[in-house]
Amino acid sequence: MNTDQAFDLLRDAGITESSNIQTVRRWLREGKIKYEGGNGKRKTGYILDDTDQAFDLLKDAGITESSGIQIVRRWLREGKIKYGVNGKSNTGYIIDDTASRLAINDSIDQNKDEVIHRLKLKIQAQNKHIEGIEELNETSKKILIQQRNMFKKEVVILKNEKSELQNETKNLLKENIELRNELIKVKANIIDNFNYGSTAQLNDYSEKLGLSKMASNKEMLAEYKGLLKITHPDHNGNAKVFHYIKTDYDNFRISNKGK
């Protein structure tokens, strides 16, 4: 087969011109075809001895197996190649033997069935792969739904806890205000009872402490200690008031030392 015939062959097989040129050049380098031409003279027809040779050339040119089967079958119908049996090459082009035609068709059909069988196996494998992906997707979807529901419950719980904390904070603030007001009243009462600036100093300790006149010394001592603790400067108390109470407390202890 010469270069002109190779060009025609590849063009008829659907090879693009640029790929055609590259393939013919490579076949020339590899010695698979011989160079003939020039002066615009081209030979017609294809020098292919058998179907095996046609398959090999098409495969080498990059034609897929399924497309190669269709092309070889067409060339056989058009009488462009001759079917060779058991690898024996012939040089004719036109197939006259009906039995040979049947054998060619059977061979091509077998190859076609084999290709179809392989494609079916690939399709089955792909279907199983798709089923696995779909199953995995469904499982992932269920997990995501469960996580979403769990997060929603956690959000509700956190909102409830936040509301409870806000209520507790309000209650604590209210109690703190009440205690502060009570402390202010106590301090005011202490200042009133222990106003040593007046000339008429009170000697009734129980009255100063706001206790009953029947209160015992033990009760009055406990009341003094409580007032000293409240008014102590270390506890944000009034230093002047603390001094007044401490002085009165010392006097009380001295006056009741022998009792």
Side-chain angles (χ1 to χ4, degrees):
M1 181 172 62
N2 60 36
T3 53
D4 290 341
Q5 293 169 334
F7 275 119
D8 292 339
L9 173 70
L10 294 176
R11 184 184 297 109
D12 188 66
I15 302 296
T16 61
E17 185 174 357
S18 58
S19 299
N20 195 334
I21 294 171
Q22 297 297 326
T23 302
V24 170
R25 286 178 178 176
R26 178 167 57 80
W27 286 351
L28 279 170
R29 291 195 304 271
E30 296 173 356
K32 294 181 178 179
I33 60 176
K34 61 182 178 178
Y35 178 78
E36 287 185 10
N39 299 323
K41 296 181 179 180
R42 296 173 60 91
K43 295 184 178 180
T44 59
Y46 302 94
I47 308 300
L48 290 175
D49 295 329
D50 55 30
T51 53
D52 291 339
Q53 185 182 14
F55 277 121
D56 291 339
L57 289 174
L58 291 173
K59 182 178 180 182
D60 188 58
I63 301 296
T64 62
E65 183 177 357
S66 59
S67 297
I69 292 173
Q70 299 298 325
I71 293 171
V72 170
R73 174 179 286 180
R74 177 169 57 83
W75 285 347
L76 283 169
R77 290 197 305 268
E78 295 172 355
K80 294 181 179 180
I81 60 174
K82 185 177 179 64
Y83 179 74
V85 182
N86 297 325
K88 294 180 180 179
S89 298
N90 296 289
T91 57
Y93 303 97
I94 306 301
I95 300 175
D96 297 325
D97 190 354
T98 304
S100 296
R101 288 181 180 272
L102 295 176
I104 292 169
N105 291 333
D106 291 340
S107 176
I108 294 176
D109 290 338
Q110 289 177 0
N111 291 333
K112 182 178 179 181
D113 292 340
E114 184 179 354
V115 171
I116 293 173
H117 177 68
R118 286 201 298 268
L119 289 175
K120 286 182 177 180
L121 292 177
K122 288 183 179 180
I123 292 172
Q124 290 176 358
Q126 289 178 349
N127 289 337
K128 289 182 179 180
H129 181 65
I130 293 172
E131 290 176 359
I133 293 176
E134 291 177 347
E135 184 177 355
L136 180 61
N137 182 51
E138 289 296 326
T139 303
S140 301
K141 188 188 296 183
K142 291 179 181 179
I143 293 174
L144 289 174
I145 292 173
Q146 292 176 354
Q147 290 179 345
R148 183 187 63 185
N149 294 335
M150 181 180 66
F151 290 151
K152 286 183 178 179
K153 291 180 181 178
E154 291 181 355
V155 169
V156 172
I157 293 172
L158 289 174
K159 287 183 178 179
N160 293 335
E161 291 179 352
K162 180 181 178 181
S163 178
E164 292 176 359
L165 288 173
Q166 289 176 342
N167 292 333
E168 290 180 2
T169 301
K170 290 180 181 178
N171 293 333
L172 289 173
L173 182 60
K174 183 178 179 181
E175 291 178 4
N176 185 43
I177 293 173
E178 292 175 352
L179 288 173
R180 185 181 65 181
N181 292 335
E182 185 177 349
L183 180 60
I184 292 172
K185 290 180 181 179
V186 170
K187 287 183 178 181
N189 186 42
I190 291 172
I191 294 173
D192 292 340
N193 290 337
F194 293 92
N195 188 2
Y196 285 88
S198 62
T199 57
Q201 184 176 355
L202 296 176
N203 293 322
D204 189 343
Y205 296 103
S206 60
E207 185 177 353
K208 290 180 181 181
L209 296 170
L211 298 175
S212 172
K213 291 183 178 181
M214 301 300 294
S216 63
N217 291 341
K218 186 175 181 180
E219 291 175 338
M220 287 189 284
L221 284 172
E223 187 67 19
Y224 270 118
K225 291 180 180 179
L227 292 173
L228 289 172
K229 184 176 181 181
I230 293 174
T231 59
H232 197 285
D234 292 343
H235 296 154
N236 297 323
N238 190 303
K240 187 175 181 180
V241 174
F242 175 79
H243 174 71
Y244 290 154
I245 297 173
K246 182 68 169 60
T247 301
D248 201 67
Y249 171 66
D250 292 338
N251 292 333
F252 174 76
R253 291 181 59 193
I254 292 171
S255 63
N256 289 280
K257 194 171 184 180
K259 296 181 180 180

